[in-house]
């Protein structure tokens, strides 16, 4: 299957700083990328959907100014957690697909810990 | 919330036994998928069943889908300790995947 990578795999930062997480599709062009958030022992919650070259669509309750998403190319999307706080500590997972009819492929996740 | 629900929330069995997990969802779907997640790790895609299919097999996995009841089940036969993980169903309604609440499976040797 297709490969999606995330970087970094884990990050620890101080409260108030911003953190950028990258999601890359390595062997296909991803017209759509998705960002999920997962708290311990809970399910994945979709945060936003991003299409290459356009603004991301955020799910209800997700702060657009807090979680900045950029999908500047067909192989790269970034999630920036701005002014991170301890409650933003979570496991962030991205996924990508080549088109509406195609399967989503998931990245390995990024564990964010905000001190 | 559009999130699907799974039951049981947790399941503990012995090696060699079968494990059955159920998933219920709320909206029309294009397909339903099952994923496995080991603790603190990424997702592993297990199987996809389309809305016009009723049953699908893959190795020791058997998935059923009842669109009239908006429900699906995942059966793992002859379980192994390595099957210990969380299992999630995810419904694909053309736009995005919506994950269920998950079942934590513990298989004891």
């Amino acid at each position: 299957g297709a490969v999606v990578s995330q970087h970094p795999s884990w990050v620890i930062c101080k409260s108030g700083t911003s953190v950028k997480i990258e999601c890359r599709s390595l062997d296909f062009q991803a017209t759509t990328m998705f960002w999920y958030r997962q708290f311990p022992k809970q399910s994945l919650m979709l945060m936003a959907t991003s299409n290459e070259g356009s603004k991301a669509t955020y799910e209800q309750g997700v702060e657009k100014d807090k979680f900045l998403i950029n999908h500047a190319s067909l192989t790269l999307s970034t999630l920036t957690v701005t002014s991170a706080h301890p409650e933003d500590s979570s496991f962030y997972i991205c996924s990508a697909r080549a088109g509406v009819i195609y399967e989503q492929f998931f990245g390995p996740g990024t564990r964010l810990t905000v001190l | 919330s559009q999130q699907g629900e799974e039951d049981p929330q947790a399941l503990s069995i012995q090696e060699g036994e079968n494990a059955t997990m159920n998933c219920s969802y709320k909206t029309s779907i294009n397909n339903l998928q099952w994923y496995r997640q080991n603790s603190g790790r990424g997702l592993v895609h297990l199987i996809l069943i389309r809305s016009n299919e009723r049953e699908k097999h893959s190795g020791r996995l058997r998935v059923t889908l009842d669109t009239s009841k908006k429900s699906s089940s995942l059966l793992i036969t002859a379980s192994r300790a390595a099957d210990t993980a969380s299992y999630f169903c995810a419904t694909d309604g053309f736009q995005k995947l919506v994950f269920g609440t998950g079942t934590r499976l513990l298989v004891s040797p």
Side-chain angles (χ1 to χ4, degrees), chain A residues 32 34 36 38 41-46 49 59 91 93 97 100-104 106-109 111, chain B residues 1 3 30 33 35 37 40-43 45 48 50 88 92 94-102 104:
Chain A
T32 307
F34 304 85
Y36 296 83
Q38 184 180 32
K41 296 186 178 180
Q42 294 189 24
S43 185
L44 283 75
M45 297 299 294
L46 180 64
T49 302
E59 295 298 303
F91 194 51
I93 303 175
R97 70 180 182 198
V100 175
I101 64 171
Y102 295 98
E103 180 183 344
Q104 281 190 38
F106 284 82
R111 184 160 303 283
Chain B
S1 169
Q3 190 174 41
N30 178 39
Q33 302 174 42
Y35 289 83
Q37 184 182 37
R41 308 293 291 273
L43 295 174
H45 184 264
L48 180 153
R50 301 192 187 283
F88 297 94
D92 185 346
F94 295 95
Q95 300 281 340
K96 55 192 179 185
L97 282 180
V98 177
F99 283 82
T101 50
R104 293 194 305 279

Side-chain angles (χ1 to χ4, degrees), chain B residues 4-15:
Chain B
E5 293 194 6
E6 293 181 56
D7 78 272
Q9 290 187 358
L11 180 60
S12 184
I13 59 175
Q14 299 289 316
E15 265 191 324

Side-chain angles (χ1 to χ4, degrees), chain A residues 1 6 14 17 28 35 37-38 42-43 45-46 49 52 54 58 62 64-65 75 77 91 93 99-100 104 109 114:
Chain A
Q6 277 185 245
K14 293 182 178 180
T17 61
F28 69 100
W35 286 95
R37 182 174 181 176
Q38 184 180 32
Q42 294 189 24
S43 185
M45 297 299 294
L46 180 64
T49 302
E52 186 265 339
S54 61
Y58 290 81
V62 178
K64 301 178 182 181
D65 296 331
T75 58
S77 176
F91 194 51
I93 303 175
V100 175
Q104 281 190 38
V114 185

